[in-house]
Every structure is written in C-alpha cells, then in structure tokens.
Amino acid sequence: MIANAVAITTALAVAVFVLSPRVRAASQWRATVTPLASIIGSGFLVSLPILTSAVGHYAIVAMAALLGLSYLFGGAIRFNIRYGEPMFAEEGASHLMPVERMSHIALAFAYFISVAYYLTLLSAFLLKAVGLQDPLLAQSITTTILAAIGAYGLWKGLHGLEGVEEYAVGLKLAIIAAVLAALALLNINLLVAGEWVPADVPGVVEWDDVRIVLGLLIVVQGFETSRFLAGEYPPETRIRTMRLAQFIAGAIYLAFFALALVVAEKHPVNGDVAVMIDLVAAAAPVLPIMLAAGAVFAQLSAAIADAIASAGLIQEETRGAIRRRIAYPVIAAIGALLVWSTDVFSIIALASRAFALFYALQCVVAAQVALRAPDVDRRRLRAMGFVALAVVAFAAAVFGLPSEGGE
C-alpha cells in the first residue's frame, strides 16, 4: 500500500507541475518537448530487458555508452545548427552541400517508418489492455490515429500538435517519475533489511551482443528533431533545448537502470516488454497499469515528435513549396500506406540503420562545415573529430542488430 501511495502521489505531483500553465507556456519547455518526447519513446520499456539479456549486469554501462555516443552525435548536429545553417541559407545546401541532402533523405525514410511503427505499438498496447489480439482492428486504430494527426496538424499547425505532445509528454514523465520513486523505495527497503543484492545476470559479452548494443542507438534517437524546428525557434534556443532534452533523458535512463537492476535477477529478461511489466510490479502493484498507460502516451508523443520533425524536413527540402501544415497529411498518408501494405516490425531494422546513417552523414557535414565556416576555431581538429564520429555511426549502420523493440 505504501509503495502504491508513493507511486500515485509522485505521478500526480509531477503531472501537476509539468502540465501547469506556467510551464506549458514557457517557450524553452515547448522547444524541449519535441526532442525529449522522441528520445524517451518505447525505449524506456524495452531498453533494460534487451540490454540485460544481451550484456547482463553491464547493461547500465552499455546504456551510458549509448547516451554518451548520442550526445556526441547531438554535438555534431548542434554544430551544424550554429555554423552550418547560415552557410546553407547563403550558398544553398542542395547544390554545395550534397551530403546534407543525402542525410535528409535517410532521415525522412526513417521518420516515415518510425511514425507508423510507434502508432502500431500504441494500438497493440491498447488492444492488449482490453485482452484483444486482432491485427485488422490494430491496423484500423493505427490508421485512425494517423488520420487524426494529419488532420489536426493541417488545422492547427506545429503549435497545435505541440499542445497535444506537451500533454502526452507530461503524463509520460509523471508515470516515469512514479516508476522511479517506487523502485527507489524498494531499493531503500532492501538496504534497510540487509537484503539488497545487486542483480548478477549471467552473460558473456560476444560480438553479436556488441552489435545489439550498436543497433539500440535507435533507443536514444530523437534529439535531431531540434534541427528541423528552424523558423519556429532561433538557433540558440534549439541548441540549448536539444542539450537539455538529452540531459533529462539520460538522467531518466540511468536512474531507471540503476534502480531496476536489483530486481532483474528475480525476473529473467528476454527482450520481451511483458517482462518489463513483471519487473516493475515487484516495486508496486499499481505500476503495471500505470506503465501500460505510459506506453500509450510514449508512443503517441514520440510519433507526434517525429511527425513534427518530418514536416519541418519536408518544408526545408522543398524550399517552402510544401508548407509544414500540408506536410502532416502527407506523412499520415505514407504512414497509413506502410501500415496496410508492409509489416512495420520487419522493416524497423531499416529505420534503425537509416537513423545511424543520418548521424554519420551529419558528422560528415559537420566536418565540411568546420573546414569552411569562417569563424570556427581549431577547424582541422574539429573536422577530424567529426570524421571519427562518422566512422562510428557508419559502423552502427552496417553492424548494428536492432531488436524488434524499436526506440
């Protein structure tokens, strides 16, 4: 009962704060919400089971490495926002920066798949909550949500979708806070009782396990959405809020791993989301219900975040010929086509590789910009660093083994 009370009270307190008019009205928070929503998507549900099954009790080390790597990739994109965007505007990225154009094509491909994928997971969670397994009904629900996003985006535009996204992210953060609070209480109780023993999930780290970790780069994907909010927020705001979103997401992931590993041994993991539900139930009986609701909010907010970024990408690549509002129905239509004509789960690996390819190409662009921008210090050293990052991202694209869990 105490654990349930702690979880519910924490969720309510965080929801009241995050969804308060003052916080929601802050432009800094609105600009942070989009990348944050995408970074903390379904990865919060699947990352611990997948990494623990792959590398055992080194899971938190693997997650820290992924977060660190994603922050470095984010640094390349932030560099391009600050120094590259003025060059693109003056010189024309399509002609003088062909790698930038290639990266956008890779990202657009990934976004179209990820939006449909997130909403397919959302439909699956909804049906699972009521005890149904009907693929046709799931496809219909996914298509309905896609149509709603397309229509609402056409009607209200970016800030209208941001409003929906803010509520979804706020509720998701409240539920995550409840999970962390209940797990913290469990750890404290075990320490006081002298029963706290860190989980020691056996496992020998092999090359395929490393490839799985590389493939899970998609788990911490999403920070790049700030790059495509140009015109809505100034460069410094996008740079600052992208960094803030990565810090918040990183703190959440690491805190969760640190607190949840203690019960991982009692609930053997195999990459299945259902195992995650069992795991949090050990902390508080109410958490499985809250986590199921959080999964729905997570998929909705992540899908909207990627739709927003994709619309910005389309507007930028067409030089304004297709405005952001018009792009939302286009994204919804392509998503519906994927849902009905393709098994989204079978091509999620392609989306993961496409994200890694985008980061690699953005690092190449950053190296080019470093050598050409007039006001960059230590240009050769910076360029070499970005090239090294590009090699790592290309390796993730080639060797990564993404799981079916997605982001």
Side-chain angles (χ1 to χ4, degrees):
M1 292 297 293
I2 295 178
N4 282 345
V6 168
I8 294 171
T9 302
T10 301
L12 290 175
V14 173
V16 168
F17 173 74
V18 176
L19 298 178
S20 66
R22 182 176 180 179
V23 172
R24 292 183 61 245
S27 61
Q28 297 291 320
W29 176 244
R30 292 200 306 271
T32 304
V33 160
T34 293
L36 182 61
S38 192
I39 297 171
I40 309 180
S42 58
F44 185 76
L45 293 173
V46 302
S47 56
L48 179 66
I50 292 172
L51 285 177
T52 308
S53 62
V55 296
H57 53 277
Y58 295 112
I60 191 170
V61 177
M63 175 52 70
L66 282 173
L67 291 168
L69 189 59
S70 70
Y71 187 79
L72 293 176
F73 290 145
I77 295 175
R78 288 189 289 272
F79 184 85
N80 288 336
I81 291 175
R82 173 167 290 152
Y83 297 104
E85 286 183 358
M87 295 175 62
F88 303 154
E90 292 176 5
E91 301 177 6
S94 299
H95 303 290
L96 301 181
M97 297 295 243
V99 180
E100 172 78 358
R101 188 73 179 272
M102 290 169 57
S103 73
H104 289 187
I105 294 173
L107 186 62
F109 174 74
Y111 275 152
F112 290 147
I113 297 175
S114 65
V115 171
Y117 172 64
Y118 289 139
L119 295 180
T120 298
L121 287 182
L122 186 154
S123 300
F125 275 110
L126 284 176
L127 292 179
K128 184 177 181 180
V130 297
L132 291 177
Q133 286 188 338
D134 187 333
L136 182 61
L137 181 57
Q139 289 174 311
S140 300
I141 293 173
T142 303
T143 304
T144 301
I145 299 173
L146 279 166
I149 290 176
Y152 197 73
L154 178 64
W155 179 35
K156 290 291 188 178
L158 169 68
H159 293 298
L161 280 178
E162 278 186 332
V164 177
E165 184 184 42
E166 285 172 14
Y167 279 105
V169 171
L171 293 171
K172 176 174 65 177
L173 290 177
I175 291 171
I176 289 174
V179 172
L180 294 179
L183 285 171
L185 179 62
L186 175 64
N187 278 261
I188 292 171
N189 289 337
L190 290 174
L191 280 169
V192 172
E195 299 175 359
W196 191 92
V197 178
D200 185 16
V201 182
V204 177
V205 179
E206 299 177 348
W207 170 236
D208 281 349
D209 298 325
V210 176
R211 294 180 66 190
I212 289 174
V213 174
L214 284 174
L216 280 176
L217 183 64
I218 195 172
V219 165
V220 289
Q221 166 272 329
F223 50 87
E224 77 288 336
T225 53
S226 296
R227 168 71 177 80
F228 303 103
L229 295 178
E232 302 295 336
Y233 300 102
E236 286 302 321
T237 297
R238 287 182 287 135
I239 290 170
R240 184 168 52 252
T241 53
M242 184 205 293
R243 188 181 290 113
L244 177 61
Q246 287 193 285
F247 283 152
I248 294 173
I252 288 173
Y253 274 120
L254 291 180
F256 174 66
F257 270 60
L259 294 171
L261 278 175
V262 72
V263 294
E265 189 175 24
K266 299 177 182 178
H267 299 275
V269 291
N270 57 7
D272 187 2
V273 174
V275 175
M276 177 68 182
I277 300 296
D278 294 336
L279 189 148
V280 297
V286 74
L287 285 184
I289 299 174
M290 297 179 70
L291 198 63
V296 172
F297 296 135
Q299 307 316 313
L300 179 60
S301 60
I304 292 176
D306 281 2
I308 288 173
S310 184
L313 180 61
I314 291 173
Q315 178 175 276
E316 181 176 316
E317 283 303 296
T318 60
R319 304 291 183 85
I322 300 179
R323 293 182 297 112
R324 192 187 293 268
R325 283 178 180 266
I326 304 300
Y328 292 121
V330 174
I331 295 165
I334 294 175
L337 182 63
L338 285 169
V339 168
W340 286 97
S341 64
T342 312
D343 178 4
V344 177
F345 293 102
S346 68
I347 59 174
I348 191 62
L350 292 177
S352 182
R353 288 187 168 88
F355 279 120
L357 179 60
F358 168 74
Y359 296 141
L361 294 173
Q362 279 292 297
C363 289
V364 173
V365 171
Q368 291 180 318
V369 170
L371 294 175
R372 297 174 60 182
D375 53 346
V376 175
D377 297 327
R378 296 174 297 175
R379 58 179 67 247
R380 291 187 180 276
L381 183 60
R382 286 177 181 266
M384 290 174 60
F386 290 135
V387 169
L389 276 176
V391 171
V392 175
F394 275 123
V398 173
F399 297 111
L401 289 177
S403 73
E404 204 171 80
E407 180 190 332

PDB file of all heavy atoms in Angstrom, residues 163-182:
ATOM      1  N   GLY A 163       0.864  21.190 -28.605  1.00  0.00           N
ATOM      2  CA  GLY A 163      -0.013  21.181 -27.435  1.00  0.00           C
ATOM      3  C   GLY A 163      -0.402  19.766 -27.048  1.00  0.00           C
ATOM      4  O   GLY A 163      -0.366  19.400 -25.868  1.00  0.00           O
ATOM      5  N   VAL A 164      -0.782  18.947 -28.049  1.00  0.00           N
ATOM      6  CA  VAL A 164      -1.103  17.544 -27.786  1.00  0.00           C
ATOM      7  C   VAL A 164       0.122  16.822 -27.251  1.00  0.00           C
ATOM      8  O   VAL A 164       0.055  16.039 -26.294  1.00  0.00           O
ATOM      9  CB  VAL A 164      -1.602  16.860 -29.082  1.00  0.00           C
ATOM     10  CG1 VAL A 164      -1.856  15.381 -28.838  1.00  0.00           C
ATOM     11  CG2 VAL A 164      -2.867  17.541 -29.585  1.00  0.00           C
ATOM     12  N   GLU A 165       1.261  17.107 -27.875  1.00  0.00           N
ATOM     13  CA  GLU A 165       2.507  16.458 -27.483  1.00  0.00           C
ATOM     14  C   GLU A 165       2.892  16.809 -26.044  1.00  0.00           C
ATOM     15  O   GLU A 165       3.363  15.962 -25.282  1.00  0.00           O
ATOM     16  CB  GLU A 165       3.613  16.898 -28.437  1.00  0.00           C
ATOM     17  CG  GLU A 165       4.947  16.219 -28.213  1.00  0.00           C
ATOM     18  CD  GLU A 165       6.005  16.793 -29.129  1.00  0.00           C
ATOM     19  OE1 GLU A 165       6.057  18.021 -29.309  1.00  0.00           O
ATOM     20  OE2 GLU A 165       6.791  15.994 -29.657  1.00  0.00           O
ATOM     21  N   GLU A 166       2.667  18.077 -25.649  1.00  0.00           N
ATOM     22  CA  GLU A 166       3.016  18.508 -24.298  1.00  0.00           C
ATOM     23  C   GLU A 166       2.240  17.722 -23.250  1.00  0.00           C
ATOM     24  O   GLU A 166       2.798  17.303 -22.230  1.00  0.00           O
ATOM     25  CB  GLU A 166       2.735  20.001 -24.132  1.00  0.00           C
ATOM     26  CG  GLU A 166       3.772  20.890 -24.816  1.00  0.00           C
ATOM     27  CD  GLU A 166       3.357  22.341 -24.802  1.00  0.00           C
ATOM     28  OE1 GLU A 166       2.415  22.678 -24.049  1.00  0.00           O
ATOM     29  OE2 GLU A 166       3.962  23.140 -25.525  1.00  0.00           O
ATOM     30  N   TYR A 167       0.935  17.510 -23.491  1.00  0.00           N
ATOM     31  CA  TYR A 167       0.133  16.726 -22.541  1.00  0.00           C
ATOM     32  C   TYR A 167       0.620  15.280 -22.489  1.00  0.00           C
ATOM     33  O   TYR A 167       0.734  14.690 -21.409  1.00  0.00           O
ATOM     34  CB  TYR A 167      -1.346  16.779 -22.934  1.00  0.00           C
ATOM     35  CG  TYR A 167      -2.039  18.030 -22.469  1.00  0.00           C
ATOM     36  CD1 TYR A 167      -2.361  19.046 -23.360  1.00  0.00           C
ATOM     37  CD2 TYR A 167      -2.366  18.208 -21.117  1.00  0.00           C
ATOM     38  CE1 TYR A 167      -2.991  20.204 -22.929  1.00  0.00           C
ATOM     39  CE2 TYR A 167      -3.005  19.362 -20.683  1.00  0.00           C
ATOM     40  CZ  TYR A 167      -3.319  20.356 -21.591  1.00  0.00           C
ATOM     41  OH  TYR A 167      -3.940  21.508 -21.159  1.00  0.00           O
ATOM     42  N   ALA A 168       0.887  14.694 -23.679  1.00  0.00           N
ATOM     43  CA  ALA A 168       1.344  13.299 -23.718  1.00  0.00           C
ATOM     44  C   ALA A 168       2.686  13.149 -23.012  1.00  0.00           C
ATOM     45  O   ALA A 168       2.891  12.209 -22.230  1.00  0.00           O
ATOM     46  CB  ALA A 168       1.446  12.823 -25.169  1.00  0.00           C
ATOM     47  N   VAL A 169       3.606  14.087 -23.257  1.00  0.00           N
ATOM     48  CA  VAL A 169       4.922  14.017 -22.617  1.00  0.00           C
ATOM     49  C   VAL A 169       4.792  14.237 -21.114  1.00  0.00           C
ATOM     50  O   VAL A 169       5.433  13.559 -20.305  1.00  0.00           O
ATOM     51  CB  VAL A 169       5.882  15.062 -23.220  1.00  0.00           C
ATOM     52  CG1 VAL A 169       7.165  15.148 -22.407  1.00  0.00           C
ATOM     53  CG2 VAL A 169       6.215  14.700 -24.658  1.00  0.00           C
ATOM     54  N   GLY A 170       3.943  15.191 -20.714  1.00  0.00           N
ATOM     55  CA  GLY A 170       3.755  15.457 -19.291  1.00  0.00           C
ATOM     56  C   GLY A 170       3.249  14.246 -18.536  1.00  0.00           C
ATOM     57  O   GLY A 170       3.766  13.897 -17.463  1.00  0.00           O
ATOM     58  N   LEU A 171       2.245  13.572 -19.097  1.00  0.00           N
ATOM     59  CA  LEU A 171       1.709  12.377 -18.454  1.00  0.00           C
ATOM     60  C   LEU A 171       2.733  11.248 -18.448  1.00  0.00           C
ATOM     61  O   LEU A 171       2.848  10.489 -17.479  1.00  0.00           O
ATOM     62  CB  LEU A 171       0.429  11.947 -19.174  1.00  0.00           C
ATOM     63  CG  LEU A 171      -0.758  12.920 -19.029  1.00  0.00           C
ATOM     64  CD1 LEU A 171      -1.899  12.510 -19.945  1.00  0.00           C
ATOM     65  CD2 LEU A 171      -1.228  12.980 -17.578  1.00  0.00           C
ATOM     66  N   LYS A 172       3.498  11.144 -19.538  1.00  0.00           N
ATOM     67  CA  LYS A 172       4.534  10.105 -19.608  1.00  0.00           C
ATOM     68  C   LYS A 172       5.606  10.347 -18.547  1.00  0.00           C
ATOM     69  O   LYS A 172       6.018   9.413 -17.845  1.00  0.00           O
ATOM     70  CB  LYS A 172       5.150  10.092 -21.002  1.00  0.00           C
ATOM     71  CG  LYS A 172       6.313   9.117 -21.152  1.00  0.00           C
ATOM     72  CD  LYS A 172       6.780   9.051 -22.587  1.00  0.00           C
ATOM     73  CE  LYS A 172       7.356  10.347 -23.075  1.00  0.00           C
ATOM     74  NZ  LYS A 172       7.883  10.256 -24.443  1.00  0.00           N
ATOM     75  N   LEU A 173       6.042  11.591 -18.404  1.00  0.00           N
ATOM     76  CA  LEU A 173       7.054  11.909 -17.397  1.00  0.00           C
ATOM     77  C   LEU A 173       6.525  11.651 -15.989  1.00  0.00           C
ATOM     78  O   LEU A 173       7.273  11.214 -15.105  1.00  0.00           O
ATOM     79  CB  LEU A 173       7.496  13.365 -17.531  1.00  0.00           C
ATOM     80  CG  LEU A 173       8.328  13.708 -18.770  1.00  0.00           C
ATOM     81  CD1 LEU A 173       8.622  15.197 -18.810  1.00  0.00           C
ATOM     82  CD2 LEU A 173       9.632  12.920 -18.784  1.00  0.00           C
ATOM     83  N   ALA A 174       5.243  11.915 -15.770  1.00  0.00           N
ATOM     84  CA  ALA A 174       4.652  11.663 -14.453  1.00  0.00           C
ATOM     85  C   ALA A 174       4.686  10.175 -14.119  1.00  0.00           C
ATOM     86  O   ALA A 174       5.008   9.782 -12.986  1.00  0.00           O
ATOM     87  CB  ALA A 174       3.213  12.187 -14.426  1.00  0.00           C
ATOM     88  N   ILE A 175       4.365   9.341 -15.099  1.00  0.00           N
ATOM     89  CA  ILE A 175       4.374   7.892 -14.870  1.00  0.00           C
ATOM     90  C   ILE A 175       5.804   7.374 -14.685  1.00  0.00           C
ATOM     91  O   ILE A 175       6.064   6.519 -13.830  1.00  0.00           O
ATOM     92  CB  ILE A 175       3.667   7.175 -16.038  1.00  0.00           C
ATOM     93  CG1 ILE A 175       2.165   7.505 -15.994  1.00  0.00           C
ATOM     94  CG2 ILE A 175       3.895   5.667 -15.975  1.00  0.00           C
ATOM     95  CD1 ILE A 175       1.393   7.034 -17.194  1.00  0.00           C
ATOM     96  N   ILE A 176       6.746   7.911 -15.458  1.00  0.00           N
ATOM     97  CA  ILE A 176       8.142   7.518 -15.290  1.00  0.00           C
ATOM     98  C   ILE A 176       8.632   7.888 -13.896  1.00  0.00           C
ATOM     99  O   ILE A 176       9.333   7.117 -13.232  1.00  0.00           O
ATOM    100  CB  ILE A 176       9.024   8.175 -16.375  1.00  0.00           C
ATOM    101  CG1 ILE A 176       8.735   7.535 -17.739  1.00  0.00           C
ATOM    102  CG2 ILE A 176      10.502   8.043 -16.029  1.00  0.00           C
ATOM    103  CD1 ILE A 176       9.437   8.212 -18.895  1.00  0.00           C
ATOM    104  N   ALA A 177       8.253   9.083 -13.429  1.00  0.00           N
ATOM    105  CA  ALA A 177       8.636   9.516 -12.080  1.00  0.00           C
ATOM    106  C   ALA A 177       8.059   8.570 -11.032  1.00  0.00           C
ATOM    107  O   ALA A 177       8.727   8.249 -10.036  1.00  0.00           O
ATOM    108  CB  ALA A 177       8.149  10.943 -11.827  1.00  0.00           C
ATOM    109  N   ALA A 178       6.831   8.101 -11.249  1.00  0.00           N
ATOM    110  CA  ALA A 178       6.211   7.154 -10.318  1.00  0.00           C
ATOM    111  C   ALA A 178       6.989   5.844 -10.285  1.00  0.00           C
ATOM    112  O   ALA A 178       7.214   5.261  -9.215  1.00  0.00           O
ATOM    113  CB  ALA A 178       4.758   6.906 -10.727  1.00  0.00           C
ATOM    114  N   VAL A 179       7.417   5.365 -11.456  1.00  0.00           N
ATOM    115  CA  VAL A 179       8.202   4.132 -11.525  1.00  0.00           C
ATOM    116  C   VAL A 179       9.519   4.299 -10.771  1.00  0.00           C
ATOM    117  O   VAL A 179       9.921   3.428  -9.980  1.00  0.00           O
ATOM    118  CB  VAL A 179       8.466   3.743 -12.995  1.00  0.00           C
ATOM    119  CG1 VAL A 179       9.450   2.581 -13.075  1.00  0.00           C
ATOM    120  CG2 VAL A 179       7.162   3.379 -13.700  1.00  0.00           C
ATOM    121  N   LEU A 180      10.196   5.422 -10.991  1.00  0.00           N
ATOM    122  CA  LEU A 180      11.481   5.661 -10.330  1.00  0.00           C
ATOM    123  C   LEU A 180      11.312   5.775  -8.815  1.00  0.00           C
ATOM    124  O   LEU A 180      12.125   5.248  -8.043  1.00  0.00           O
ATOM    125  CB  LEU A 180      12.124   6.941 -10.877  1.00  0.00           C
ATOM    126  CG  LEU A 180      12.546   6.903 -12.349  1.00  0.00           C
ATOM    127  CD1 LEU A 180      13.135   8.251 -12.760  1.00  0.00           C
ATOM    128  CD2 LEU A 180      13.544   5.793 -12.608  1.00  0.00           C
ATOM    129  N   ALA A 181      10.240   6.461  -8.380  1.00  0.00           N
ATOM    130  CA  ALA A 181      10.005   6.628  -6.941  1.00  0.00           C
ATOM    131  C   ALA A 181       9.741   5.273  -6.271  1.00  0.00           C
ATOM    132  O   ALA A 181      10.281   4.988  -5.196  1.00  0.00           O
ATOM    133  CB  ALA A 181       8.836   7.574  -6.708  1.00  0.00           C
ATOM    134  N   ALA A 182       8.914   4.444  -6.902  1.00  0.00           N
ATOM    135  CA  ALA A 182       8.603   3.129  -6.331  1.00  0.00           C
ATOM    136  C   ALA A 182       9.845   2.229  -6.305  1.00  0.00           C
ATOM    137  O   ALA A 182      10.077   1.506  -5.332  1.00  0.00           O
ATOM    138  CB  ALA A 182       7.483   2.459  -7.119  1.00  0.00           C
TER     139      ALA A 182
END
